[in-house]
Amino acid sequence: DVKVTQSSRYLVKRTGEKVFLECVQDMDHENMFWYRQDPGLGLRLIYFSYDVKMKEKGDIPEGYSVSREKKERFSLILESASTNQTSMYLCASSWGFGYTEAFFGQGTRLTVV
Amino acid sequence: AQTVTQSQPEMSVQEAETVTLSCTYDTSESDYYLFWYKQPPSRQMILVIRQEAYKQQNATENRFSVNFQKAAKSFSLKISDSQLGDAAMYFCAYRSRGGSNYKLTFGKGTLLTVNP
């Protein structure tokens, strides 16, 4: 089975802290994604990566950055956490061209106080 | 840019009955994929069913089936013989087929309650 693992299920951070959310997949997927999920807004794409060291902005990249140094790992970075970044964060991965399905992690509930 | 609209924030169904969740989308592309994902309270997002736009036949997976109307840009999910385990948030999603754009665009979701 494909496994996408997010390092934490719950995180509480203080305003202004630098926050790292980690995601690891074990299926050699080319593509990895970070989504943010908020009630009434669905899932919104923050960033995605289609190869090591390659990244593209999604729909709401402001306040976030990403890192993909190894194929299996995709990190989301909140440079200076703010309360409006309190949310559920979902990581996903998929194979490249010709494949369709994305596989999701369990999600990280981040609270910024 | 593509958009996905789910007009029903919440739905409920009696156990063993049938329920249909609605989804419409807007795109200028002719070739794409559509998906229904399920997110139970455990939060793990699971693929329920997928449809390729170039296929006219509606996809079916056991109790789950879709009604894909390409001209109307409509993609509804029918759940037959509803079970308590079907209770979840359901998301409709769109993905382009061509190029390197692999991202999924999601609707806002429909919360399905199954009543015993």
Side-chain angles (χ1 to χ4, degrees), chain A residues 35 37 88 99-100 104, chain B residues 39 43-44 50 95 104:
Chain A
Y35 285 89
Q37 182 179 5
M88 173 75 73
Y99 293 89
T100 61
F104 284 82
Chain B
Q39 187 182 41
R43 302 198 316 228
Q44 188 88 44
R50 85 189 83 195
R95 208 208 86 176
L104 287 166

Side-chain angles (χ1 to χ4, degrees), chain B:
Chain B
Q2 293 79 25
T3 59
V4 177
T5 302
Q6 294 178 250
S7 59
Q8 307 151 316
E10 297 184 25
M11 292 280 286
S12 65
V13 63
Q14 292 295 126
E15 199 175 2
E17 297 291 308
T18 296
V19 64
T20 299
L21 308 184
S22 301
C23 173
T24 59
Y25 57 95
D26 188 26
T27 184
S28 59
E29 298 174 332
S30 59
D31 205 5
Y32 47 86
Y33 301 103
L34 295 165
F35 306 85
W36 279 98
Y37 277 87
K38 170 186 177 181
Q39 187 182 41
S42 67
R43 302 198 316 228
Q44 188 88 44
M45 192 85 77
I46 305 165
L47 178 69
V48 175
I49 199 165
R50 85 189 83 195
Q51 176 80 40
E52 293 161 270
Y54 65 86
K55 290 185 177 178
Q56 292 188 331
Q57 187 172 5
N58 288 325
T60 299
E61 289 285 344
N62 301 313
R63 296 182 295 107
F64 298 87
S65 62
V66 299
N67 183 4
F68 173 50
Q69 301 289 329
K70 191 172 184 180
K73 296 181 182 175
S74 171
F75 183 61
S76 61
L77 175 70
K78 186 171 82 171
I79 307 174
S80 304
D81 186 25
S82 296
Q83 300 175 0
L84 295 177
D86 295 333
M89 182 72 85
Y90 286 81
F91 291 97
C92 180
Y94 172 104
R95 208 208 86 176
S96 298
R97 180 182 171 89
S100 61
N101 186 356
Y102 301 112
K103 74 171 190 178
L104 287 166
T105 300
F106 287 86
K108 294 182 179 180
T110 297
L111 181 63
L112 178 66
T113 302
V114 181
N115 301 310

Side-chain angles (χ1 to χ4, degrees), chain A residues 21-103:
Chain A
L21 302 184
E22 307 286 346
C23 176
V24 177
Q25 49 92 4
D26 66 357
M27 283 302 292
D28 203 34
H29 286 168
E30 285 84 4
N31 305 316
M32 296 190 75
F33 309 85
W34 275 107
Y35 285 89
R36 171 176 171 159
Q37 182 179 5
D38 298 288
L41 297 178
L43 279 74
R44 294 177 292 167
L45 182 66
I46 304 172
Y47 268 98
F48 71 100
S49 169
Y50 51 90
D51 202 350
V52 176
K53 297 189 186 293
M54 306 303 289
K55 61 185 179 184
E56 285 200 22
K57 293 181 180 179
D59 301 317
I60 52 164
E62 296 78 19
Y64 303 94
S65 63
V66 291
S67 172
R68 194 168 179 200
E69 297 296 319
K70 293 185 177 181
K71 192 174 186 179
E72 68 269 20
R73 186 180 296 270
F74 192 37
S75 303
L76 179 69
I77 303 158
L78 286 66
E79 298 289 343
S80 178
S82 63
T83 55
N84 63 12
Q85 292 178 310
T86 291
S87 187
M88 173 75 73
Y89 291 88
L90 293 175
C91 176
S93 70
S94 71
W95 283 288
F97 183 77
Y99 293 89
T100 61
E101 182 178 354
F103 297 85

